[in-house]
Amino acid sequence: MKQAVLAGRTAGLRPAERRRLEALCHRRHPADGVADRLTLQRLADEAEQLDQPLTLVVDGRGLCRLLWIGDLETSGRLLDRLSGPARRQGSDLRLLTCAGSARHPRLRPGDQEAIVGLDLQPRLWLRFPRQAGIGGHWPAALLLPCGEGEEAWQLHREEELGELCAVDPASVEGDTDRVAAGRRRGAGANGSGGGPRPGVEGVLLLVSGGGDPGIDRRRIAELEGLVRSAGAEPLGLVAQRTTRGGTATLWGEGKLREAALEARRLGASLVVTDRDLTPVQARNLERLLDLPVSDRSELILDIFAQRAASAAGRLQVELAQLRYRLPRLAGRGLSLSRQGGGIGTRGPGETQLEKDRRAIARRIERLQRDVRELGEHRARLRRGRRGQRRLALVGYTNAGKSSLLNALSGAAPGQGVLAEDRLFATLDPTTRRVRLERGSGTGAAGEGCGHGAEDGLLITDTVGFIEDLPPPLVEAFRSTLEEALEADGLLLVVDLSDPAWPEQLGSVHGLLDQLGASPPRLVIGNQIDRCPAEALERARALEPQMLFVSATAALGLDHLRRKLRHWPEPLADGEGREGQGSGRAPVPASEG
């Protein structure tokens, strides 16, 4: 089996040069020293002839595992060359890099090179130039991973090359352990303290503030909730006050270097941004961070893909995902590279990118036909329910719509609609019949009399809304949202225990207006058992027509049932519903 491999800029190497480099790979370094000086001198001779930096990756036994030609560009190409998963995470690795000249030695790695070197999680990094200086002095620097601060690597010692080669790696073990302990502390930014759990993906949040601290905190908390709903764990946060980085990346280079370093320290394998990214911005961020990057829309799409349980839900989610990914195919791997347009670059056929685009376009066309058929099927179901009053529960995600439907329909525990304390727990619309019998729980003689027993009230639980819902999702779930558009009335559920409920209610109103929803709206304040009296007074001042309930504690449900007996009021022939009984009050955007 091959002990080491050559990688990097190997194209154009002469056979003699390749043989000499392979011979250097087979030389063993001392286990009680950083490196063999004679091997490093020969490495410097080869770097001088090739005019390229050379890096050796040596394990704890002194065996060379990789010789990289050129600058360290991306960590993925290095990690893929190391054999075995233990090699990728071993703390006994040593990096030996020959870069720079005697006049201009590159004893400190560049920003991108430092991040790539950190991905290997080595014990130390020895750097030296290609030639000795005046008087035979050969400068060198011994660097250690930095567990805190703005630098990825800290200078441990800067001495003669021969002296540093003789340093026992065990003598710097204390510093390495301190850095490893700093990494294990994990989510120091959010206080979870311990990094990701085994088998859970760690995520670094990259956010840009808008100037209002309260709004920024709510957006960050919502983004953390989305990450947890997707099955990952937010480990840390890198925030930029305003978007000053320009259109190429949205974030400045210094902030991106900080994010790349923080991701390595916390052990994050994914970066999630709070801003939607264009395809070019996503590729630029992945190149600079050297990590996969997902924006908020892609995160929500992933949650929907996990939650989709029915065939209709999976159909709509796949359509939304394909619409989102189609313009982002370019640059997603070497197999999707563009076809050239110059002499010697024109091939006889299509590139893989063009084939994939055409295949996705065909799939989208097929899914659109299926979604139209789904919409027609649901329209037939709605026509079959004519003559029965139909209400729809709408509202921000995780506001308690499913819990309220279970409480109103009297569902037994474990038999109702899935209700969990997480974002987008349910996607598929569910309709239940709610019986509003005469005199049930009225508490006042004669109230509700004259209406008779009400058995025809149907209430539908719809998918939750969220601020800036991705347009592909809105379009794909239009047939699902039509359940709300065609209802006789909309019950807007808000979670009063969330201080941001006024802004969330405003987002729901805005999305309903965007969809052209004309049914009257009634706001229902949920979770009153978790609110102080001042919060209820504030809610009553903002929404005078609001009804207060607690679906889990069964508070206010009887009053809600009495209200629903005669709401919405039946309209005369030819009278429109628009603007009737919506109960909308101005919602200040800054309160919460």
Side-chain angles (χ1 to χ4, degrees), residues 277-288:
L277 305 173
T278 65
V280 174
Q281 291 168 347
R283 290 195 295 270
N284 289 338
L285 285 177
E286 288 184 347
R287 175 178 54 83
L288 295 174

Side-chain angles (χ1 to χ4, degrees), residues 388-391 485-490 517-521 566-572 574-582:
Q388 304 180 69
R389 284 199 302 135
R390 293 177 292 112
L391 304 180
L485 302 181
E486 298 294 332
D488 296 315
L490 302 180
S518 60
R521 308 170 189 178
H566 50 79
W567 186 90
E569 294 289 346
L571 300 179
E575 185 179 356
R577 286 199 181 278
E578 188 171 358
Q580 297 292 327
S582 65

